[in-house]
Amino acid sequence: MTEDLFESYKNELPAKLISDLKKEISKHKLSSKQIKEIVEKTKKEFEEAKINSGEAIGIITAESFGEPSTQMTLNVFHFAGVAEVNVTLGLPRLIEIFDARKLPSTPSMEIYLKKPYNKDNKKVRKIANQIKETTLKEVVSEFTTNLLKSQVEITFEKEKMRDIGITPKSLITILETSLKGTIVKEKGSTLILKPKTKDYKLNDLYKLKEKAKDVFISGVKKITHVLPVKTDSEYMILCAGSNLKEVLKLDEIDTTRTVTNDLFETQSVLGIEAARQAIITEAQKVIEEQGLNVNIRHIMTVADVMTSRGVIKGITRSGISGEKSSVLARASFETPMKHLVNASLTGEVDYLNSIIENIMLNQPVPIGTGLPDLVAKMKIAKAKK
Amino acid sequence: MTDLFVNEKFIGEVENPTDFVNRTKIERRKNKSLSGFNIMYDEKCDEIKIYTSKGRALRPLIIVENGKSKLTRDHIKKIKEDEIGWKDLEEQSVIEYLDAGEEENAYVALSEEELNEEHTHLEISPMNIFGLCTSLVPYANYDSSSRLNRGSKTQKQSLGLYAANYLLRMDTDVSILHYPQIPIIKTAMHDFSNYDKHPSGQNIVIAVMSYEGYNMQDAVIINKGSVDRGLFRSTYFRPYVVEELRYSGGLVDEICIPNKDAKGYRSENEYKHLEPDGIVYLGASVKEEDVIIGKISPPRFLGELEEFSIAASIKRESSTAIRHGEKGIIDMIVITENEEGNKLIQVRLRDQRIPEIGDKFASRYGQKGVIGAVIRQDDMPFSASGITPDLIFSPHSLPKRMTVSHLIEILGGKVGSLAGKYIDGTTFDVEPEKKLRKELLELGFREDGTETFYNGLTGEQLKAKIFVGNIYYLKLKHMVANKLHTRASGRIQLLTRQPIEGRSKGGGLRLGEMEKDCFVAHGASLLLKERFDSDKTIVHVCENCGLLAIYDKFRSIEYCTKCGNNTTITPIEISYAFKLLLDELKALGMYPRLKLKSKY
């Protein structure tokens, strides 16, 4: 009975609203007449909550961002826990998001872990160390060039090696593969590096030493800092540097919650819908951190506009704003000569369908009260003329 | 070895720098003939610098030796008895002057109590941490520093007696307060700076309460009775200067009443205040656009002269008139000569300014506000003893800004005016609030300064007791009469046909980019169009080629310069700015073609 009723509203109310209604109604004992009344009232409220046609949502969104951004504090950096991991926030970050810069000024990730790993501090620490990009110099206490034997000697710190889960043996294989043409030998607690060829100069030895320092030995590339953090119920890892693709491959990681603040990386790894969500969460993070309040619908509008082409487009002259159909509108926003010259070369036509063009011509703008138009064709009047 | 410089010039080297500097200082203190130089040791650069040059800023400090001030009780006693003075202290090496460099090596104690072995000097008074204007803020140690900053800033803007010879001066944009008073609450700086010779405010009765919402935010209510009795009246002066210029070719300006055939002659009525010599008479009451100095100039370009005209007779009128929005009485006329020997006329305008809605007032603590309403005395709230306040101040201005001294001054001012004495509000050395409260109680008032008040409109007793007292208030130089500006229609720019800019020219009020966005956001499309109608024009467009056509109003014909008569020409309404854009595009070699379509 009630099912039929809800079914009949399928096209008039969103699915979420209907399921919520169902859940709430099932808690009470109501007659079908009362239920009908409730659904009717819901529908009425829903209709009233809708935006009217002709409402200037674009400009209202712009104003809703513009006004609070004037109040943002200029303190650009926010320290998440420890000074190690800092993230650009405030107005610079907001501009970065909306301009869709290819690389964020401080790329960072929030890595969540699967069930057994996310409760134990030690385990989290271990995973964090394994994720962190480590080069040879970080686990080595001393590099020496032995001139007598003409070889490079490396003394490594065992504790640090243990932390990232690397044995001297595995280190040798890593070094052998990454430093081609080099003999690697273990001698006590030191490693000896020697070029394979016999006739090498002292300079080559020095070069080898410098090269060996930057050999990547473990972790995920680009992740420069890791910071295990305790949230209310679990441990998670904050990272400076971002490499979503590689991190998601790790077994311990909760792939459903791990995110990066790099919009383009999100787009290439997870797709455009994920990028849209990333824009929303990132923008909201900035606004909330500043203690401001912008309705999420405004952020969603921006995110929709930026991602509706299937790729992320910034609100810049090379992005959305440069794609406006009107020549005059484009010319009124940055580099007017470029647009005017190109338009005249191709013989572009401006149909004066939008706001700015009409303001320039001092015509009523087609929005709000300027939108309604006469539908009836005034044939009789024309005939008389 | 340490390098030694005298006035930035290398002189020699010194073995032991600290010892050298100390010995030099001791020698200077012993021997008066050696004074007048300062010495510093710059440890970082390992250099000793001695300065004897003119123009160094010096400040006096009490010398401290072995943790003991050289100014003893004995000295103080003698000073009080007027036996010794400042000069004696200098001679006895109790006080010495340090410059910025030597100060770097000094360790100065603020008060005698905190002196220890390491100190080298003692501040004469802890008040020295403030500058002149900040020292003029009483009870400053009860306020936050930012309020002191604002307080000293507002004092600079206050009207008073800025110069005793103001009647003989030709200053631009100055005012004189009519009845300036010495503040009841003073600081030591008021005495040092001879504030009684140039005061810049008035002691008024203030009530801390709200009144019908006319004093919301920072606005204040002023009592019309007080205003009528001359409270905060001021005179505004503005000089007008005209020079009789000489041009090449022996042509000169002439100060006179312009002839009717001069180019740009105004109406006769506008010259009515001029005397035969072309200058207004003293005491003339003039208003805006009235000519005060008549002048005619030779034509701007000699080419303007037409063949048949008599060359010298065509003169250009270039009189000086009262500026837009000003009025007043001619106060002084000076006829003189400038450096080049040209005749120079200076006319000073005087205008009485009675406080009105929009004039700005402030206390000495950065509590500034404009008048929100002028209320008749019989409508003002009154106390049980029949006192009506001169000014009503909103209590909401206090908690956020924490200007405690504002409140203490009200209390102290009340005590001072009742007891007939000045109260000392010198920073760090004030008359304590407790003492003021006790005195107020003894004078027969409530010790917290509040009084029973009655509603001036209904006569009902107010439920709350109102805090009322005397405070020194300043009239600031920002007066509405100099700022008020409206425009319905007026002059436009030649190029864009949009209204000109600026209050002095009667310009328009710009509806800017963001304001425009606001109209759009409201969907007020037609209102927006109307607002931007200031430069609308009708242009005729040739529908064949899309360019602007020509409409000859006199012959009532229209034609296109490209397509001739055989085309449809339609008038359309666009902004003149857009017509300009089309012209500029054409100048760039582009072809902006208008395709017309009926809207309906």
Side-chain angles (χ1 to χ4, degrees):
Chain A
M1 173 62 200
T2 45
E3 279 302 315
D4 292 345
L5 180 73
F6 283 123
E7 192 61 29
S8 65
Y9 278 93
K10 211 176 93 184
N11 293 327
E12 286 165 53
L13 286 172
K16 171 82 165 78
L17 217 52
I18 291 178
S19 70
D20 280 359
L21 265 180
K22 272 185 198 167
K23 210 191 270 171
E24 205 54 42
I25 283 169
S26 64
K27 284 184 198 164
H28 308 274
K29 278 185 185 167
L30 296 168
S31 68
S32 59
K33 199 181 161 194
Q34 283 172 312
I35 293 172
K36 169 103 181 152
E37 207 173 310
I38 287 169
V39 179
E40 253 326 297
K41 271 197 171 161
T42 313
K43 192 191 155 196
K44 203 179 154 208
E45 288 291 321
F46 176 70
E47 291 298 329
E48 275 177 13
K50 277 183 177 172
I51 294 275
N52 296 320
S53 62
E55 195 78 71
I57 55 163
I59 264 187
I60 292 171
T61 297
E63 286 182 344
S64 304
F65 276 109
E67 196 276 330
S69 70
T70 58
Q71 301 171 23
M72 282 194 184
T73 40
L74 284 169
N75 188 13
V76 179
F77 294 108
H78 174 253
F79 302 107
V82 198
E84 289 280 292
V85 183
N86 66 37
V87 188
T88 313
L89 279 172
L91 198 58
R93 175 67 184 145
L94 208 58
I95 293 169
E96 203 171 270
I97 297 166
F98 292 154
D99 281 2
R101 303 262 165 83
K102 277 271 145 44
L103 279 175
S105 65
T106 48
S108 64
M109 287 186 78
E110 285 170 25
I111 299 176
Y112 289 88
L113 302 170
K114 275 183 191 158
K115 250 291 154 64
Y117 306 100
N118 65 354
K119 298 287 177 193
D120 187 356
N121 190 5
K122 275 185 188 166
K123 276 182 192 161
V124 174
R125 228 164 254 285
K126 199 180 161 203
I127 296 167
N129 281 324
Q130 281 168 8
I131 291 173
K132 187 176 183 253
E133 180 183 17
T134 317
T135 50
L136 188 62
K137 69 180 170 210
E138 281 169 70
V139 292
V140 166
S141 58
E142 202 181 358
F143 281 94
T144 41
T145 36
N146 192 327
L147 297 177
L148 277 176
K149 293 177 185 168
S150 58
Q151 61 189 17
V152 180
E153 290 171 11
I154 299 166
T155 326
F156 47 81
E157 287 178 45
K158 280 182 183 158
E159 257 181 52
K160 280 190 181 169
M161 297 267 285
R162 211 181 303 134
D163 279 351
I164 59 166
I166 282 187
T167 58
K169 283 226 171 94
S170 59
L171 187 60
I172 290 172
T173 47
I174 292 168
L175 286 174
E176 269 173 345
T177 47
S178 48
L179 296 169
K180 272 165 194 159
T182 315
I183 309 160
V184 186
K185 271 188 274 180
E186 193 183 0
K187 194 181 174 189
S189 63
T190 54
L191 284 180
I192 291 165
L193 301 183
K194 224 174 182 179
K196 268 178 191 165
T197 45
K198 285 283 167 195
D199 52 331
Y200 53 86
K201 289 167 198 159
L202 199 62
N203 199 15
D204 296 329
L205 209 61
Y206 177 74
K207 271 184 191 161
L208 177 66
K209 188 183 109 187
E210 290 303 309
K211 209 175 158 191
K213 275 184 185 175
D214 291 326
V215 169
F216 169 74
I217 53 170
S218 89
V220 178
K221 276 189 181 169
K222 290 189 203 165
I223 308 272
T224 53
H225 292 284
V226 286
L227 184 72
V229 177
K230 192 175 192 237
T231 59
D232 296 337
S233 55
E234 60 175 338
Y235 285 93
M236 45 125 15
I237 305 166
L238 291 178
C239 309
S242 168
N243 193 344
L244 188 61
K245 199 174 177 183
E246 294 302 316
V247 169
L248 289 183
K249 283 179 187 165
L250 300 173
D251 291 334
E252 300 91 340
I253 271 47
D254 184 349
T255 50
T256 58
R257 290 187 292 161
T258 299
V259 287
T260 170
N261 74 348
D262 187 332
L263 302 179
F264 283 89
E265 200 176 357
T266 310
Q267 188 208 328
S268 66
V269 177
L270 298 173
I272 192 70
E273 283 296 333
R276 173 183 173 274
Q277 191 56 46
I279 292 169
I280 295 169
T281 47
E282 285 297 315
Q284 197 162 31
K285 214 195 282 174
V286 175
I287 286 154
E288 269 171 15
E289 191 270 338
Q290 296 278 334
L292 301 170
N293 183 24
V294 174
N295 195 301
I296 193 167
R297 273 157 269 249
H298 295 310
I299 309 175
M300 285 159 92
T301 309
V302 175
D304 283 343
V305 169
M306 286 174 71
T307 52
S308 63
R309 319 283 160 111
V311 285
I312 301 173
K313 288 261 181 184
I315 303 170
T316 57
R317 63 168 180 270
S318 53
I320 299 295
S321 306
E323 286 181 3
K324 287 180 191 166
S325 60
S326 159
V327 197
L328 293 175
R330 266 180 285 133
S332 75
F333 175 83
E334 293 181 9
T335 59
M337 277 315 293
K338 188 182 104 188
H339 291 294
L340 292 175
V341 170
N342 287 342
S344 73
L345 286 174
T346 54
E348 243 179 90
V349 180
D350 194 322
Y351 292 98
L352 306 181
N353 284 331
S354 189
I355 311 282
I356 309 167
E357 308 93 281
N358 283 295
I359 288 174
M360 287 168 84
L361 268 79
N362 194 20
Q363 301 294 319
V365 288
I367 205 151
T369 53
L371 196 65
D373 221 335
L374 260 126
V375 175
K377 287 203 171 129
M378 307 292 270
K379 271 183 185 163
I380 309 154
K382 220 174 189 179
K384 266 185 188 172
K385 200 181 175 185
Chain B
M1 293 298 259
T2 306
D3 294 344
L4 174 65
F5 294 86
V6 174
N7 289 335
E8 304 283 317
K9 205 186 260 174
F10 179 70
I11 291 294
E13 289 181 328
V14 175
E15 194 79 56
N16 187 341
T18 19
D19 184 47
F20 176 82
V21 170
N22 285 338
R23 267 178 25 231
T24 320
K25 280 184 189 168
I26 288 165
E27 229 21 72
R28 179 180 65 189
R29 286 170 192 174
K30 263 193 217 159
N31 193 340
K32 275 295 111 182
S33 62
L34 282 175
S35 68
F37 72 88
N38 285 103
I39 183 164
M40 76 170 290
Y41 175 48
D42 186 342
E43 251 174 87
K44 266 186 195 157
C45 309
D46 196 25
E47 283 169 357
I48 294 173
K49 291 169 179 169
I50 294 175
Y51 289 101
T52 67
S53 55
K54 284 183 193 172
R56 284 171 298 142
L58 301 177
R59 72 190 200 98
L61 287 171
I62 299 169
I63 299 170
V64 171
E65 267 170 12
N66 304 322
K68 280 205 179 114
S69 161
K70 287 192 87 177
L71 184 80
T72 56
R73 288 187 189 286
D74 196 36
H75 283 121
I76 296 168
K77 202 181 146 204
K78 278 183 182 167
I79 294 167
K80 275 186 180 159
E81 281 160 15
D82 235 7
E83 279 175 41
I84 55 168
W86 184 265
K87 269 262 144 22
D88 300 287
L89 291 179
E90 259 181 64
E91 253 155 46
Q92 291 170 26
S93 284
V94 174
I95 279 166
E96 69 178 355
Y97 290 90
L98 300 194
D99 73 350
E102 193 169 332
E103 228 179 4
E104 291 292 315
N105 296 144
Y107 183 36
V108 185
L110 267 181
S111 66
E112 201 158 359
E113 291 87 61
E114 64 184 55
L115 273 181
N116 65 35
E117 291 288 309
E118 281 171 52
H119 283 113
T120 59
H121 293 89
L122 172 65
E123 200 77 72
I124 291 166
S125 158
M127 207 179 78
N128 279 6
I129 62 171
F130 299 120
L132 173 69
C133 272
T134 315
S135 310
L136 291 175
V137 180
Y139 287 94
N141 45 325
Y142 288 80
D143 269 351
S144 72
S145 63
S146 69
R147 287 292 140 194
L148 293 188
N149 272 324
R150 275 171 249 209
S152 58
K153 254 182 171 169
T154 46
Q155 295 216 53
K156 293 175 200 169
Q157 301 174 14
S158 61
L159 304 183
L161 190 68
Y162 73 98
N165 64 341
Y166 71 91
L167 280 174
L168 303 172
R169 295 166 68 105
M170 277 286 182
D171 299 296
T172 324
D173 198 25
V174 290
S175 297
I176 290 287
L177 186 66
H178 283 195
Y179 304 102
Q181 296 173 350
I182 307 168
I184 294 172
I185 310 247
K186 294 206 282 194
T187 71
M189 192 52 76
H190 284 95
D191 296 328
F192 300 149
S193 63
N194 291 330
Y195 199 79
D196 54 337
K197 296 282 194 294
H198 55 86
S200 58
Q202 289 179 337
N203 294 296
I204 60 165
V205 178
I206 188 176
V208 181
M209 61 184 288
S210 60
Y211 186 95
E212 302 272 321
Y214 285 102
N215 61 341
M216 61 168 134
Q217 290 282 309
D218 272 338
V220 292
I221 306 284
I222 200 161
N223 185 336
K224 187 156 191 299
S226 312
V227 172
D228 290 344
R229 274 173 243 125
L231 185 79
F232 287 127
R233 240 168 238 220
S234 61
T235 296
Y236 178 77
F237 293 103
R238 180 189 294 283
Y240 287 85
V241 183
V242 166
E243 191 185 346
E244 231 180 40
L245 280 171
R246 287 168 207 276
Y247 302 91
S248 57
L251 296 165
V252 282
D253 283 343
E254 192 191 341
I255 290 171
C256 62
I257 301 174
N259 221 323
K260 271 190 181 152
D261 45 307
K263 215 171 163 185
Y265 184 79
R266 301 167 194 232
S267 72
E268 207 168 315
N269 191 38
E270 282 171 72
Y271 298 105
K272 68 182 171 197
H273 298 291
L274 300 186
E275 289 193 322
D277 62 353
I279 308 170
V280 268
Y281 59 93
L282 202 62
S285 173
V286 287
K287 56 178 203 309
E288 59 179 11
E289 316 281 87
D290 280 348
V291 173
I292 47 169
I293 303 163
K295 193 177 78 170
I296 48 171
S297 306
R300 211 168 276 159
F301 309 105
L302 286 173
E304 270 179 37
L305 300 177
E306 281 163 35
E307 295 268 316
F308 307 104
S309 66
I310 314 141
S313 74
I314 304 273
K315 292 270 185 162
R316 192 162 49 90
E317 117 88 71
S318 59
S319 303
T320 302
I322 297 289
R323 289 172 66 156
H324 188 84
E326 285 187 7
K327 59 161 179 62
I329 289 156
I330 302 301
D331 190 47
M332 180 167 75
I333 298 164
V334 177
I335 301 173
T336 173
E337 208 173 63
N338 69 2
E339 301 91 27
E340 285 122 49
N342 294 338
K343 191 176 178 186
L344 190 75
I345 314 270
Q346 288 183 306
V347 173
R348 190 172 66 193
L349 186 74
R350 147 167 62 88
D351 187 23
Q352 191 187 47
R353 294 286 165 84
I354 299 167
E356 56 180 321
I357 292 176
D359 281 0
K360 199 173 176 185
F361 293 86
S363 74
R364 286 178 286 179
Y365 316 97
Q367 288 283 15
K368 48 181 188 273
V370 295
I371 296 180
V374 182
I375 306 288
R376 284 163 55 104
Q377 183 165 5
D378 30 342
D379 289 343
M380 286 292 270
F382 54 92
S383 76
S385 55
I387 297 278
T388 52
D390 296 313
L391 194 113
I392 298 176
F393 176 86
S394 168
H396 297 290
S397 311
L398 290 161
K400 201 172 169 189
R401 302 188 188 137
M402 299 186 283
T403 52
V404 179
S405 37
H406 188 95
L407 294 171
I408 298 177
E409 191 185 338
I410 295 174
L411 195 78
K414 198 169 182 177
V415 173
S417 65
L418 288 167
K421 61 172 189 180
Y422 294 113
I423 308 280
D424 187 14
T426 309
T427 316
F428 303 120
D429 192 20
V430 295
E431 281 199 47
E433 188 202 337
K434 264 194 185 152
K435 201 181 146 206
L436 294 175
R437 281 175 176 254
K438 213 180 132 211
E439 273 185 68
L440 195 59
L441 200 63
E442 280 163 11
L443 286 160
F445 284 80
R446 288 170 60 93
E447 58 134 28
D448 61 359
T450 59
E451 282 177 39
T452 306
F453 258 68
Y454 296 88
N455 186 323
L457 296 166
T458 63
E460 284 170 350
Q461 185 184 327
L462 299 181
K463 277 182 187 157
K465 295 257 185 293
I466 301 298
F467 186 52
V468 63
N470 295 60
I471 189 170
Y472 195 62
Y473 240 70
L474 317 163
K475 184 182 189 184
L476 304 186
K477 65 180 179 189
H478 308 285
M479 284 172 285
V480 258
N482 295 330
K483 306 201 167 177
L484 190 86
H485 176 43
T486 55
R487 161 174 168 146
S489 60
R491 286 166 62 191
I492 52 165
Q493 278 167 3
L494 194 65
L495 179 72
T496 60
R497 295 199 187 169
Q498 285 167 7
I500 52 163
E501 213 181 306
R503 185 183 102 99
S504 56
K505 285 168 270 177
L509 293 158
R510 187 182 158 83
L511 187 103
E513 188 107 6
M514 294 175 105
E515 291 78 11
K516 172 212 78 184
D517 287 347
C518 223
F519 274 75
V520 177
H522 277 87
S525 175
L526 297 162
L527 181 59
L528 176 67
K529 184 195 173 294
E530 200 169 290
R531 205 27 257 242
F532 281 143
D533 265 354
S534 62
D535 66 339
K536 73 169 175 191
T537 31
I538 306 274
V539 293
H540 291 74
V541 177
C542 166
E543 291 204 41
N544 184 29
C545 64
L547 292 175
L548 299 191
I550 288 168
Y551 171 64
D552 191 328
K553 206 171 182 180
F554 295 109
R555 289 189 289 164
S556 183
I557 48 164
E558 40 190 29
Y559 60 95
C560 173
T561 41
K562 188 165 166 278
C563 315
N565 293 328
N566 255 338
T567 169
T568 14
I569 287 169
T570 321
I572 58 163
E573 184 199 290
I574 52 166
S575 62
Y576 191 78
F578 186 66
K579 189 234 141 199
L580 268 184
L581 175 72
L582 296 179
D583 290 346
E584 284 200 33
L585 292 180
K586 278 182 246 173
L588 286 164
M590 296 175 197
Y591 181 9
R593 184 178 208 164
L594 298 176
K595 286 184 181 168
L596 303 185
K597 192 179 87 183
S598 176
K599 263 196 205 166
Y600 309 106

